[in-house]
Amino acid sequence: MDKEEFYALAKKVFAVDDSDIVEFYGAVEHPILYCDCPRHHFHVPVYSRVIIRDVNTLEPLPHGQVGLVNLISPMVRATPILSVMTDDLGVLHDGGTCGCGITSPYLEIIGRVGLKDIKTCAAGAAELLANAGSVR
Ligand SMILES: [Zn+2]
């Protein structure tokens, strides 16, 4: 379901306007929330950077091209995780094209790379814990 369809359904079923729907994007390893603006775009906050990388070469791509989402922030101090390469596919857009007034680039998530072996961190941790329990 695309966003416009979802907003229309929320309005029809719950009488909730899209302006009352807040979305965010994030990752467990990168505790920076990318909250949507009034036009439902995930602008990159000042304390974070996003690099879209070519899926084959990992070279940075210009705005407007689809690639792997690389999240960077110095805000994580408890662990040495400065840069996280996700398995999400996304596009960075020039912030000025949004029209909401926020000028930082915004991230559009397209989906995941589609490999069967990829698990979320939570699923991987649950599997590790289950296996650790069987070893004891
Ligand atoms: Zn915006």
Side-chain angles (χ1 to χ4, degrees):
M1 175 182 296
D2 70 15
K3 287 185 176 187
E4 295 306 320
E5 186 179 351
F6 174 78
Y7 300 143
L9 192 59
K11 179 69 175 176
K12 178 181 174 186
V13 175
F14 299 115
V16 174
D17 291 326
D18 77 282
S19 61
D20 292 321
I21 298 172
V22 177
E23 298 175 80
F24 61 87
Y25 168 78
V28 170
E29 312 86 347
H30 180 80
I32 306 297
L33 284 181
Y34 296 77
C35 298
D36 66 344
C37 71
R39 297 190 178 200
H40 298 293
H41 293 139
F42 301 123
H43 290 272
V44 179
V46 68
Y47 42 83
S48 180
R49 297 291 182 271
V50 174
I51 299 173
I52 302 297
R53 296 188 179 275
D54 183 282
V55 295
N56 294 313
T57 68
L58 298 181
E59 289 297 316
L61 294 171
H63 288 186
Q65 292 192 23
V66 176
L68 287 169
V69 176
N70 182 189
L71 304 169
I72 301 170
S73 178
M75 300 298 284
V76 185
R77 302 180 114 192
T79 57
I81 302 175
L82 181 69
S83 174
V84 173
M85 180 68 78
T86 72
D87 54 8
D88 292 330
L89 291 172
V91 180
L92 264 184
H93 300 278
D94 292 326
T97 62
C98 175
C100 72
I102 300 172
T103 57
S104 69
Y106 65 89
L107 176 62
E108 177 185 1
I109 298 298
I110 305 298
R112 292 199 138 170
V113 289
L115 299 175
K116 290 180 185 174
D117 295 342
I118 292 177
K119 297 177 190 154
T120 64
C121 292
E127 186 176 294
L128 285 173
L129 288 172
N131 290 338
S134 65
V135 172
R136 291 182 188 164

